[in-house]
Amino acid sequence: MKKIPIFWPVQILGWLCYYVIVSFLYLSIAPRILPNFLLVGGMEVICLILITSILRFIIIRLGILQKRLSGQIIFLFVSAIIVSLINTICSQAIDVFFKVPSRSAHKESLLFLVWVGNFAIILIWNLLYFAYHYVVKSNKEILDKARLESVVKELQLKTIKAHINPHFIFNALNSIRYLVDENPDQARYAITELSKLLRSSMHAENISTTRLSSEIEIVQSYLELEKIRFEERLEVKWSLAPAAYDFQVPPMMLQTLVENSIKHGISHQIEGGVIEISATAQNNILHLRIENTGKLVLREKSDSFGIKSTRNRLQLLFGDQASFSIYQSDHDTVVVDIKIPAIEHEITANP
């Protein structure tokens, strides 16, 4: 069933209200009631409905609402002048048809006053019609912009995640490769841990945020793999506040940053090093901190995949409410600081 445009019920109801108000005022204050007043007034309102409906058709046909504002304003006043003249002629024709006596000895001045009244009425109708469509158009543009930004944001997030999983799997398999010949038992254990990680990464495809506690489980499995590879050269320290566990974070974010710490930090140290991961929560803000032994190279700060993907996702998901920084805290320690605002629910990606 075709939907009736909102114009028609508003148009008819609006003019009926006008008819009732004018009739009430006339009957209340007029010293002498003209014959057939209600019938004549009804006929004039019907003319107004027909004339303004034709005016709407012309506005749509000529595409006036798509023209520049100056063109719309000119049309608004010119059409009000012309349509009010036509309506004045119609009013006089109705008066003649129903033999309504002249309300003034000076007919010319009366016609001018009738035209001025009609001009004011049509001008108000025009202003309401154009104002309504201006508001509707503005709201539609805002909504379309928001939808476009949402689509672009989702595509960017999917692109980042599409790069994260192959990047992560490649590095994990690379770690296991060293164990296949040297220690088959550890290789089997590493493959088991890898399967856990792959299961988690598959879940990450369908969401844009996940609980920090889930991310910690992934990182713990990942570090188990890396400990097999680095043995005593890798030491891991955890400092996690229970209040931080329920915060929502981008999936695989913590894992990519820890992987980045090992790749650019620990692996370059002959004697290995330490990774310390801490999480605290205060005033609805999650504060994540990752410290690792190593040197911060300028190129690493700007070009690292883990750093770029983290920055992009935090900006897309949380805007300016989130912050990310990486710096050299002392001679041999690199620090990553992240602050994320609390959100109530997991953000699910559209299929």
Side-chain angles (χ1 to χ4, degrees), residues 156-204:
Q156 288 174 321
L157 286 170
K158 285 184 175 180
T159 300
I160 292 169
K161 286 193 287 186
H163 282 82
I164 286 174
N165 284 345
H167 188 270
F168 149 69
I169 293 169
F170 172 79
N171 284 311
L173 290 173
N174 198 41
S175 297
I176 294 172
R177 181 172 61 87
Y178 291 105
L179 300 172
V180 172
D181 295 326
E182 296 179 7
N183 194 329
D185 290 336
Q186 283 191 327
R188 282 192 290 271
Y189 173 74
I191 291 171
T192 301
E193 292 298 316
L194 177 60
S195 69
K196 294 179 184 177
L197 289 170
L198 291 176
R199 194 177 302 115
S200 299
S201 66
M202 288 174 65
H203 175 65

Side-chain angles (χ1 to χ4, degrees), residues 68 70 197 229 233 254:
R68 287 169 29 174
S70 58
L197 289 170
R229 175 184 166 193
R233 293 178 59 224
L254 189 57

Side-chain angles (χ1 to χ4, degrees), residues 55 59 64 68-86 115-116 118-130:
L55 177 58
I59 291 171
I64 302 299
R68 287 169 29 174
L69 184 60
S70 58
Q72 293 185 36
I73 293 172
I74 292 171
F75 179 87
L76 187 148
F77 281 97
V78 172
S79 63
I81 293 171
I82 296 172
V83 172
S84 60
L85 283 172
I86 295 172
W115 174 78
V116 170
N118 284 330
F119 174 78
I121 292 168
I122 300 300
L123 183 62
I124 291 172
W125 185 94
N126 265 347
L127 288 170
L128 291 173
Y129 184 81
F130 278 82

Side-chain angles (χ1 to χ4, degrees), residues 144-162:
D144 288 345
K145 183 180 178 182
R147 285 174 177 168
L148 178 61
E149 289 176 350
S150 178
V151 170
V152 171
K153 181 186 291 186
E154 187 175 333
L155 288 173
Q156 288 174 321
L157 286 170
K158 285 184 175 180
T159 300
I160 292 169
K161 286 193 287 186

